Amino acid sequence: MSARILVVDDVDVNVRLLEAKLTIEYYDVLTAGDGATALTVAAEQQPDLILLDVMMPGMDGFETCRRLKAHPLTRHIPVVLVTALDGREDRIRGLGAGADDFLTKPIDDVVLFARVRSLTRLKQIMDELREREESSRRLGVEADGVARMRSEGGRILIVDDDVVQAEKIASELSGEHRITIESNPEAALAVAKGPLDLIIVNVAAQSFDGLRIVALAKSGDARRAPVLAVVDPTERSRMIKALELGAADVLSRPVDSEELAARARTQIRRKRYTDFLRHKLDSSLEMAVTDALTGLHNRRYMTTQLQALVGRASHGGAPVAVLVMDIDHFKAVNDGFGHDAGDEVLVEFAVRLATNVRAVDLPCRMGGEEFVVVMPGASLEAAGSVAERIRRDVAAAPFRVLGGKEQLTVTISIGVAVTTGQSDTPESLLKRADEGVYEAKAKGRNLVIAKAA
């Protein structure tokens, strides 16, 4: 995965070393030798990640980070502070300055690229979310996804047979997150099937294979939850294997509380951004095939489904019937009581329609006061029976509108048609049913007319 990374350090050797490592992995690398230059480059070039050294003359890394996070053009860019090996105080100050993560010197390549991959993916997800929200704002649609993603902590599962370590991790995180601890791998995987924001696995566990837990978690029901692997820094091969199996990040033992909090927060944010975008995509797809007023399928969805069903019927498959229905004298409702009342009638009619069709049927709104029901596998007689049930239910009780102030008598005219052979098309089927509607209206309305081929 390619990304643009800004490396900031006043020591040229450090800059060149990081630049070489990142370039070999096909990252696009920008460099800066001081904080002021970093602010300018970040605003102009919009990198996906900034690796920022703490100890710099003049404007140090903490102040540079604060300014980056305060500027509207750069506040969304992840910043990783590079600190000394014993720089725990630096980490705490860095988190206070708004840093998203930190690396300790000397930098381990495996850890470096784990951090880079994790945070650049998060940045790309956030960029997509920001673009969608900006589009929503231009269209006048409510857009508060980023704000809602900053809400309360997440649900975390700790899988560890080291009771002391597990309790320490839980204690450090419980103030912000909801914690479950499991030492039994089977029980842990069962918990992982539920909603989780993060799984923390001790891959150095003695009583179970932690790497297998990582693999099973990333291939099963919990695969959307990121995995944070707790590793022994001396077991480099195990660390590499955990990342290969799908762990999003690694945490070295003994666990440092500030590092733990930062890693957990980063992974949960990424999970929530991803979930939000997935939800938005599902909602967009649903909106594309759903009528906004009634909640029924729309014309586009009906056309696609009917085309497929008629095609199968014309090649020897099960027949398909359609009901075309029109609300009688609907214009009089709008003219006499207003369009709000008309909308209420349409919504109530959709409810009565949907509750009187079969589970396999597709009730749809074609537009205005015209509705269609697509009925896979139905004969003309069976479709006519359903149509008559709908007609009776609509006419049986008045429609209450305008807060119950008005009660309207509503009736419908329905035309029924069913496929008969290879010559049928969706258009010809709908036309026959539509002819039934016109005939029902000509005969006084509130009728069902079935039209044979």
Side-chain angles (χ1 to χ4, degrees), residues 269-285:
R269 283 175 62 206
R270 175 180 160 192
K271 164 69 161 50
R272 289 190 170 178
Y273 288 135
T274 305
D275 286 349
F276 182 81
L277 291 177
R278 186 178 294 111
H279 172 72
K280 294 289 281 187
L281 175 60
D282 291 344
S283 297
S284 297
L285 292 173

Side-chain angles (χ1 to χ4, degrees), residues 133-205:
E133 296 217 309
E134 182 58 36
S135 298
S136 297
R137 274 189 286 269
R138 287 196 298 267
L139 293 171
V141 178
E142 179 185 0
D144 63 347
V146 171
R148 284 188 279 121
M149 293 301 99
R150 301 191 189 108
S151 59
E152 73 282 354
R155 296 154 296 190
I156 299 177
L157 169 64
I158 300 171
V159 188
D160 196 344
D161 62 351
D162 184 333
V163 176
V164 174
Q165 177 173 268
E167 292 291 349
K168 178 184 177 183
I169 292 173
S171 175
E172 297 291 350
L173 296 176
S174 59
E176 184 179 353
H177 308 281
R178 287 159 286 170
I179 311 298
T180 301
I181 299 176
E182 286 291 349
S183 58
N184 180 284
E186 288 77 17
L189 291 172
V191 173
K193 293 180 180 179
L196 287 174
D197 295 303
L198 177 64
I199 303 173
I200 300 177
V201 180
N202 178 12
V203 298

Side-chain angles (χ1 to χ4, degrees), residues 159-402:
V159 188
D160 196 344
D161 62 351
D162 184 333
V163 176
V164 174
Q165 177 173 268
E167 292 291 349
K168 178 184 177 183
I169 292 173
S171 175
E172 297 291 350
L173 296 176
S174 59
E176 184 179 353
H177 308 281
R178 287 159 286 170
I179 311 298
T180 301
I181 299 176
E182 286 291 349
S183 58
N184 180 284
E186 288 77 17
L189 291 172
V191 173
K193 293 180 180 179
L196 287 174
D197 295 303
L198 177 64
I199 303 173
I200 300 177
V201 180
N202 178 12
V203 298
Q206 299 298 311
S207 63
F208 59 82
D209 186 344
L211 291 174
R212 182 170 295 278
I213 296 296
V214 174
L216 291 174
K218 298 311 297 179
S219 63
D221 295 330
R223 62 183 177 275
R224 290 179 180 172
V227 172
L228 179 58
V230 179
V231 301
D232 190 320
T234 62
E235 295 185 314
R236 186 178 177 83
S237 61
R238 191 179 290 269
M239 178 191 302
I240 294 172
K241 193 62 177 179
L243 292 168
E244 289 176 350
L245 290 171
D249 203 351
V250 293
L251 183 66
S252 296
R253 303 169 65 190
V255 174
D256 178 87
S257 60
E258 296 297 333
E259 183 174 2
L260 169 66
R263 305 260 174 265
R265 195 174 296 118
T266 296
Q267 295 305 324
I268 290 173
R269 283 175 62 206
R270 175 180 160 192
K271 164 69 161 50
R272 289 190 170 178
Y273 288 135
T274 305
D275 286 349
F276 182 81
L277 291 177
R278 186 178 294 111
H279 172 72
K280 294 289 281 187
L281 175 60
D282 291 344
S283 297
S284 297
L285 292 173
E286 183 177 352
M287 288 174 65
V289 298
T290 302
D291 176 63
L293 177 64
T294 64
L296 300 179
H297 299 302
N298 62 15
R299 186 184 192 121
R300 176 187 298 175
Y301 184 80
M302 185 278 297
T303 301
T304 302
Q305 296 300 309
L306 187 59
Q307 182 75 50
L309 290 167
V310 170
R312 287 197 288 270
S314 66
H315 289 85
V320 55
V322 294
L323 313 181
V324 174
M325 54 197 73
D326 195 87
I327 298 176
D328 297 328
H329 302 299
F330 184 73
K331 185 176 183 298
V333 175
N334 282 332
D335 292 346
F337 300 93
H339 287 279
D340 287 346
D343 286 350
E344 290 182 61
V345 168
L346 292 173
V347 171
E348 174 60 21
F349 172 73
V351 172
R352 298 192 191 190
L353 172 61
T355 54
N356 278 287
V357 298
R358 306 172 306 169
V360 296
D361 295 337
L362 304 175
C364 312
R365 184 186 179 199
M366 287 284 281
E369 69 272 28
E370 186 177 15
F371 294 78
V372 171
V373 179
V374 179
M375 304 183 65
S379 64
L380 190 64
E381 181 181 4
S385 177
V386 171
E388 183 61 29
R389 183 167 69 233
I390 297 168
R391 184 200 65 79
R392 287 197 305 267
D393 190 40
V394 171
F399 284 47
R400 296 178 179 273
V401 298
L402 302 178

